[in-house]
Each structure stands twice: as structure tokens, then as C-alpha cells.
């Protein structure tokens, strides 16, 4: 099982690309494509060959209106996949907001917990992450859209709560990652406000993940469907890199790996005298 390299998340290092591996029948973009363990293994292997640093395994769709999945059903989806991919040369993230799923996934080989409710949904999640000794991605989320809301202020308040939960549970600062949650309980305008002001999240002193891959914030602007949103996703994520994102969560790994390489070249070669 690969060891987690915290140096990869330092600002002096290159941004990371996280490949999405949904083992669900109903995810908005690729539901039902990779829910068979052997097919999931093949897709994970392909993403690693394309340059993915992290594989994010999810057993429950978090799209609006998705069916809630019970713990045992979620475990039955993700554990067989983790068993197959845990020896691959890549970091593995478990995408879940349930403490039991996170704990069992980490015992099965996951290196990171990706919680779309920022430790605030399941009261046992912070302790489960601390006990596993792994990093956690804490995403901002809302149960419903509020158009007049000052979204950046709301994100600040949410992250302050998440960071306190993490600290109180004993999760070290170097294990804490923030995600503003593009598309989760936000209007189109709020999503683009977050993108334009993403650099403000640097004040928390934690790595920031951006995950807008194939989302409706892209489709609304381009008037296209999820499978056609690669170029738009790439544009959003490139802007996110410029504004300080250090991890990109994506469906299309190879073009994003290329974009990161160009971004790094700009930083390293463009600043040379």
C-alpha cells in the first residue's frame, strides 16, 4: 500500500490530480460505468497510467436528488474495489460522509477521507479520521440554495466549524484539506464567485481542492451535457490553479495532468531570469 507523502501537498510542490472512480449506479456523469469491481480496477489502472496522483473511490452519488445509500450497501460497493486497487502505486481516497464507511475503508487501504460534509454530517467522523491517522478533505456544503447569501462568508463560517472539529478530534493541521464544494447548494453566480475569489481561502493555511469536473456550472455556460464538458472543466480548473488550488478532482485525468504540467512550466520557467 502506498505511503502518503505530505510533501506533495506543500505549496512548493506541483498540484495533484485526483481521478474520480464512482462505483455507483446513479452518479450524474458516469453512473453505472464502473460499479463492477473488475471494471473499476481497469479504470483506476488507466487513470494511473494517465498520471493520476490520487484515486477517489465513491460508493454513493452526492448529486442533487440522489438516493441515500445505507452504510452496509455503500461498504459492499467500495470494499471489493479497495481490495483490488490497494496495491496499485497511487494514493486512495474514500469519498464518504459516514464514519463507519470511512473507518472500514481506511482499514481496507484508503489513505485519505473525502467528506462532502466537512466532518459536520456524522458526529463520529472526526474521531474516525483521527483514529485512522489519515488526511481529510473537508468540503463546504449546503442543504439548499440561498441566492442572496454571501457565499464566501458562509464558506468561512463552515470551514471554521470543520477546522475546530478536526482540531478537537486530534487531526493534525498537516492532515487537513479544504474544498469549497463547487455545485453543492450554490447558484451559478455563487459558483463563479468562489472561482474568482478562491485565493481568499489561502488564509486558512490549508491545501485547497477544486472539483468542478463536468458539473452544471460548466454546462449552464456552455449549454452542453456532462460528457461534453471536458474542455469547460479544464478551463475552470486552470483558473482554480491560478487562484491557489493544489488538488484537482477530475473525471478526465490526462488533459488535467497536461494542464498541471503547463501551469508548473509557467511558474518555474516564466519566473526565471
Amino acid at each position: 500500500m502506498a505511503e502518503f507523502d505530505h510533501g506533495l501537498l506543500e505549496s512548493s510542490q506541483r498540484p495533484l490530480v485526483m481521478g474520480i472512480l464512482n462505483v455507483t449506479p446513479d452518479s450524474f456523469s458516469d453512473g453505472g460505468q464502473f460499479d463492477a469491481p473488475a471494471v473499476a480496477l481497469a479504470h483506476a489502472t488507466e487513470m494511473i497510467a494517465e498520471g493520476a496522483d490520487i484515486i477517489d473511490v465513491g460508493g454513493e452519488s452526492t448529486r442533487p436528488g440522489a438516493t441515500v445509500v445505507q452504510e452496509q450497501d455503500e461498504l459492499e460497493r467500495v470494499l471489493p474495489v479497495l481490495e483490488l486497487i490497494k496495491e496499485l502505486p497511487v494514493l486512495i481516497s474514500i469519498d464518504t460522509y459516514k464514519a463507519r464507511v470511512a473507518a472500514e475503508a481506511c482499514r481496507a487501504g484508503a489513505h485519505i477521507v473525502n467528506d462532502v460534509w466537512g466532518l459536520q454530517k456524522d458526529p463520529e467522523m472526526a474521531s474516525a479520521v483521527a483514529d485512522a491517522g489519515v488526511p481529510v478533505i473537508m468540503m463546504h456544503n449546503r442543504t439548499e440554495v440561498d441566492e442572496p447569501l454571501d457565499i464566501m462568508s458562509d464558506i468561512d463560517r463552515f470551514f471554521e466549524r470543520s477546522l475546530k472539529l478536526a482540531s478537537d478530534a486530534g487531526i493534525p493541521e498537516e492532515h487537513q484539506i479544504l474544498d469549497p464544494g463547487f455545485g453543492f447548494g450554490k447558484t451559478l453566480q455563487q459558483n463563479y464567485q468562489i472561482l474568482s475569489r478562491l485565493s481568499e481561502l489561502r488564509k486558512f493555511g490549508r491545501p485547497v481542492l477544486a472539483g468542478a469536473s463536468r458539473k452544471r456550472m460548466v454546462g449552464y455556460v456552455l449549454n452542453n451535457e456532462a460528457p461534453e464538458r471536458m474542455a469547460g472543466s479544464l478551463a475552470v480548473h486552470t483558473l482554480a490553479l491560478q487562484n491557489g488550488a493544489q488538488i484537482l478532482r477530475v473525471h478526465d485525468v490526462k488533459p488535467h495532468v497536461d494542464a498541471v504540467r503547463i501551469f508548473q512550466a509557467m511558474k518555474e520557467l516564466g519566473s526565471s531570469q
Side-chain angles (χ1 to χ4, degrees):
M1 186 170 65
E3 293 295 325
F4 190 87
D5 180 1
H6 297 291
L8 287 174
L9 294 177
E10 296 298 329
S11 60
S12 60
Q13 300 292 326
R14 64 175 176 82
L16 306 183
V17 175
M18 170 188 279
I20 298 169
L21 183 59
N22 288 322
V23 291
T24 58
D26 57 348
S27 291
F28 79 96
S29 175
D30 55 5
Q33 292 185 32
F34 309 113
D35 50 351
V39 178
L41 172 62
H43 188 50
T45 303
E46 178 185 21
M47 289 192 288
I48 294 168
E50 292 178 339
D53 301 290
I54 307 168
I55 300 296
D56 190 42
V57 179
E60 176 177 354
S61 174
T62 51
R63 65 175 175 80
T67 302
V68 174
V69 177
Q70 298 303 309
E71 282 183 352
Q72 190 58 40
D73 293 333
E74 189 174 346
L75 285 166
E76 289 175 1
R77 291 177 180 179
V78 301
L79 291 182
V81 173
L82 290 171
E83 182 63 30
L84 286 177
I85 71 172
K86 66 181 181 181
E87 299 300 334
L88 295 176
V90 70
L91 298 172
I92 300 170
S93 170
I94 180 65
D95 183 353
T96 187
Y97 56 86
K98 303 182 184 75
R100 182 187 163 207
V101 174
E104 295 201 25
C106 289
R107 283 194 289 270
H111 308 93
I112 307 167
V113 172
N114 181 12
D115 183 355
V116 298
W117 280 101
L119 304 178
Q120 298 182 37
K121 188 79 165 180
D122 187 330
E124 302 301 320
M125 180 60 102
S127 294
V129 172
D131 290 345
V134 299
V136 61
I137 299 164
M138 297 172 284
M139 195 193 83
H140 173 269
N141 208 333
R142 293 184 53 80
T143 55
E144 58 186 28
V145 173
D146 181 355
E147 290 192 21
L149 181 71
D150 181 337
I151 194 63
M152 296 305 293
S153 294
D154 193 69
I155 287 173
D156 285 350
R157 291 188 294 269
F158 186 97
F159 281 161
E160 286 167 3
R161 292 193 297 271
S162 292
L163 291 169
K164 186 176 189 307
L165 287 168
S167 177
D168 290 349
I171 301 171
E173 287 188 9
E174 63 269 23
H175 280 194
Q176 300 169 16
I177 302 162
L178 301 177
D179 175 357
F182 288 113
F184 286 82
K186 300 169 179 73
T187 66
L188 179 66
Q189 183 177 18
Q190 287 168 347
N191 281 312
Y192 281 95
Q193 286 175 348
I194 294 166
L195 180 62
S196 68
R197 298 172 61 185
L198 195 67
S199 61
E200 295 178 19
L201 299 182
R202 292 173 179 170
K203 65 189 172 189
F204 290 106
R206 309 294 196 275
V208 172
L209 180 150
S213 186
R214 301 185 186 177
K215 289 187 175 176
R216 283 187 289 180
M217 67 177 287
V218 176
Y220 281 142
V221 173
L222 302 181
N223 191 28
N224 60 13
E225 298 301 318
E228 303 170 317
R229 296 173 186 167
M230 185 276 287
S233 301
L234 194 62
V236 170
H237 287 143
T238 300
L239 292 169
L241 289 174
Q242 291 181 317
N243 285 332
Q246 291 167 265
I247 307 174
L248 303 179
R249 183 179 181 273
V250 307
H251 295 88
D252 304 289
V253 170
K254 181 60 166 62
H256 282 89
V257 169
D258 288 347
V260 166
R261 292 175 64 185
I262 295 295
F263 176 76
Q264 283 300 105
M266 178 191 71
K267 288 179 61 179
E268 295 168 7
L269 303 177
S271 61
S272 62
Q273 299 298 319

